[in-house]
Amino acid sequence: MTDLLCVLDTLKRPRLLIRAARLGAAQYRRELHLPRHLDTSALPDSGAALAELLALEAELDAARRGRRAEYAVARHVDVMIAIMGEARLIRAALAPKPEAPAQGLQPAPVT
């Protein structure tokens, strides 16, 4: 999964596309948004979803660069929102968990 995050970190896309996707990523809900992009009824784990989304985004970017008539910027932004949302979920899962304080032991108040 970290390989996918490295690919994502090296992606070069227009600044406006990234800014629009960042604004939308705050409202990303995978149960609602992901089925629109993937051809499956069951939601895959975040790693598999991110891989599929990156492949879809590469096709959209090729259409953008080729100035093809079927390119839709709104769809590109929507896919980028999903990519950012899934990457956020992966990074959260990989982050080290803070240790909980032992039960019953509280630090003494400083006086």
Side-chain angles (χ1 to χ4, degrees):
M1 272 194 256
T2 56
D3 294 343
L4 292 173
L5 295 176
C6 290
V7 168
L8 189 58
D9 290 339
T10 61
L11 227 64
K12 302 284 186 221
R13 297 297 181 259
R15 192 175 310 163
L16 186 58
L17 176 68
I18 299 301
R19 287 180 65 193
R22 281 188 183 141
L23 290 172
Q27 280 77 41
Y28 176 71
R29 303 292 175 263
R30 80 185 316 258
E31 300 81 21
L32 298 174
H33 297 101
L34 202 53
R36 279 196 305 233
H37 306 298
L38 306 181
D39 294 330
T40 182
S41 58
L43 293 178
D45 65 25
S46 290
L50 184 58
E52 288 186 51
L53 289 167
L54 284 172
L56 179 58
E57 193 279 333
E59 293 173 16
L60 288 167
D61 195 57
R64 177 187 66 84
R65 290 175 187 261
R67 298 176 185 225
R68 295 196 303 240
E70 73 269 10
Y71 175 70
V73 70
R75 176 145 170 79
H76 202 164
V77 170
D78 203 33
V79 169
M80 290 300 296
I81 289 169
I83 287 172
M84 289 180 181
E86 292 300 315
R88 181 181 62 205
L89 293 173
I90 292 171
R91 286 187 173 111
L94 294 175
K97 307 284 188 254
E99 291 187 32
Q103 294 258 341
L105 298 178
Q106 298 295 326
V110 178
T111 57

